[in-house]
Amino acid sequence: DTGVSQDPRHKITKRGQNVTFRCDPISEHNRLYWYRQTLGQGPEFLTYFQNEAQLEKSRLLSDRFSAERPKGSFSTLEIQRTEQGDSAMYLCASSFLGGETEAFFGQGTRLTVV
Amino acid sequence: KQEVTQIPAALSVPEGENLVLNCSFTDSAIYNLQWFRQDPGKGLTSLLLIQSSQREQTSGRLNASLDKSSGRSTLYIAASQPGDSATYLCAVGADKLIFGTGTRLQVFP
């Protein structure tokens, strides 16, 4: 297993366009998390799944954001009608069961909205 | 609401020095605390996980301690090297992690 994989690594899009990011977690991990990180800040929690169920969404996740994990394996994060304020690094992490277990992060997707 | 603070925000030291990075949190009812390293433009690499029942963890030149009663953790880096230059983040939580803003470390030869 090569760890958490995210695709694409970089995305430049025009304001108003839709974008979709993919995350492949570590295969035996049943929890998957999405975070957003802006320059000079720590990552901020967006949402997480246990298997295919989305268990929590942050207030940061506006109606333009949607995340899915249809078969409890990979996940997608879609942003509709992108705004310049959406420019950030989007990070995915996975863990086994959650609680007192270690979270492993992917390399992130850098989104630039122009 | 849990808040995590890291001090100092930036640190520049010569190679070979021993370092202490600090992390404080407001709610002591944490499940675990995790230290990460982040290189510029990259994702996070997990360094150490301290579970709530533990007081410290060690990995190579790194040692992290946890004092839940005072809401503090420290990351000790022994004999720093230029390759240690990165941003170090601490995070607390269970289902989701709450992060500090990090300490940007530069180790010069």
Side-chain angles (χ1 to χ4, degrees):
Chain A
D1 192 353
T2 56
V4 179
S5 178
Q6 292 188 246
D7 184 71
R9 293 290 308 280
H10 304 275
K11 179 70 175 180
I12 300 174
T13 190
K14 292 183 178 179
R15 189 173 51 188
Q17 297 295 304
N18 299 342
V19 294
T20 300
F21 310 141
R22 176 178 170 127
C23 172
D24 288 89
I26 293 172
S27 57
E28 64 267 26
H29 286 181
N30 57 358
R31 288 203 168 180
L32 185 148
Y33 307 80
W34 286 99
Y35 292 82
R36 181 172 69 186
Q37 185 180 27
T38 53
L39 199 62
Q41 301 298 312
E44 295 175 292
F45 169 77
L46 293 178
T47 188
Y48 87 96
F49 295 82
Q50 180 165 309
N51 299 314
E52 65 273 14
Q54 189 172 18
L55 296 187
E56 186 175 349
K57 293 192 291 187
S58 163
R59 288 175 297 174
L60 295 175
L61 213 65
S62 76
D63 291 344
R64 296 185 297 106
F65 288 69
S66 63
E68 295 183 345
R69 195 183 183 197
K71 296 183 179 179
S73 56
F74 73 92
S75 175
T76 58
L77 177 68
E78 180 183 19
I79 309 174
Q80 296 182 329
R81 304 181 303 282
T82 52
E83 302 172 356
Q84 286 188 321
D86 297 331
S87 295
M89 174 79 88
Y90 290 83
L91 294 161
C92 176
S94 70
S95 69
F96 185 65
L97 289 180
E100 297 189 356
T101 59
E102 192 170 4
F104 294 89
F105 280 75
Q107 289 298 300
T109 294
R110 167 73 66 189
L111 173 66
T112 302
V113 182
V114 298
Chain B
K1 177 186 174 185
Q2 179 73 269
E3 293 184 0
V4 180
T5 303
Q6 291 188 246
I7 294 173
L11 188 60
S12 182
V13 299
E15 181 177 8
E17 280 205 3
N18 300 326
L19 310 172
V20 175
L21 307 182
N22 297 292
C23 173
S24 61
F25 45 93
T26 53
D27 185 350
S28 61
I30 63 171
Y31 284 93
N32 58 32
L33 185 145
Q34 201 166 346
W35 281 94
F36 295 90
R37 168 187 173 136
Q38 187 173 33
D39 293 291
K42 305 293 186 181
L44 278 63
T45 299
S46 179
L47 297 174
L48 291 165
L49 168 72
I50 309 178
Q51 297 179 347
S52 61
S53 58
Q54 298 173 324
R55 293 188 64 83
E56 68 176 321
Q57 281 287 339
T58 297
S59 176
R61 295 182 294 108
L62 305 179
N63 175 274
S65 65
L66 174 62
D67 184 344
K68 289 175 60 177
S69 61
S70 66
R72 293 181 181 180
S73 176
T74 59
L75 178 66
Y76 177 81
I77 304 176
S80 59
Q81 303 172 357
D84 295 330
S85 299
T87 295
Y88 290 80
L89 293 155
C90 73
V92 300
D95 298 327
K96 62 187 179 189
L97 293 174
I98 308 298
F99 283 84
T101 53
T103 293
R104 191 170 66 252
L105 173 66
Q106 181 181 11
V107 181
F108 54 90

